[in-house]
Amino acid sequence: MTIRESAENYLETILILSERLPVVRSVDIATELNFKKSSISVAMKHLRENGYITVTEQGYIYLTDKGSEIAETMYERHKLLSSWLIKLGVDEKTATEDACRIEHDISKESFEAIKRHICSH
């Protein structure tokens, strides 16, 4: 199953928030992404129906193993690509924005090649 870029962004955001907060709720995601809570609710419903997250009765959102795998992949790509672009002289804001776009479209093979290159220098 192919997952959309927006879903990847939501999963990555849940991962990042879960590292900062004791629990993640829809309102936390809405605040982080500057989206309406209603948009987040629809997205969380789709993520839950597709097995990427679980939501407790209290509204706490947790990544499933499947969701966590995608979130961790996106987050690793984001961190590595943005830091690489910054080292190349790109300003931090642009590097972060570009890394966010690249992380969703780059093939696994190309990312691994970049990663090997960066880590060997």
Side-chain angles (χ1 to χ4, degrees):
M1 177 184 165
T2 310
I3 184 166
R4 294 180 146 169
E5 182 176 327
S6 60
E8 291 173 343
N9 280 333
Y10 286 123
L11 295 172
E12 183 181 7
T13 300
I14 293 166
L15 175 67
I16 292 166
L17 289 172
S18 70
E19 292 176 353
R20 284 200 316 240
L21 304 171
V23 293
V24 178
R25 301 163 300 152
S26 290
V27 67
D28 302 317
I29 299 166
T31 301
E32 182 75 12
L33 296 175
N34 199 25
F35 289 171
K36 291 182 181 174
K37 191 174 179 306
S38 57
S39 300
I40 301 299
S41 295
V42 170
M44 294 307 107
K45 179 179 182 237
H46 292 309
L47 290 175
R48 189 182 71 249
E49 288 172 349
N50 288 299
Y52 296 110
I53 63 169
T54 58
V55 182
T56 67
E57 286 182 22
Q58 299 85 3
Y60 302 155
I61 300 167
Y62 297 97
L63 295 168
T64 62
D65 289 344
K66 184 166 119 173
S68 194
E69 184 179 333
I70 293 166
E72 288 170 8
T73 297
M74 291 301 108
Y75 193 42
E76 177 192 25
R77 288 178 175 193
H78 183 85
K79 289 189 302 185
L80 187 119
L81 292 167
S82 58
S83 68
W84 181 50
L85 291 169
I86 291 166
K87 285 179 186 172
L88 291 174
V90 178
D91 74 87
E92 187 175 349
K93 183 179 185 298
T94 303
T96 301
E97 290 170 356
D98 287 347
C100 194
R101 285 190 288 276
I102 295 167
E103 73 190 42
H104 300 286
D105 292 327
I106 193 168
S107 70
K108 183 176 181 171
E109 180 183 359
S110 293
F111 177 74
E112 290 301 323
I114 290 170
K115 186 173 158 181
R116 281 191 308 274
H117 177 76
I118 291 170
C119 295
S120 70
H121 285 85

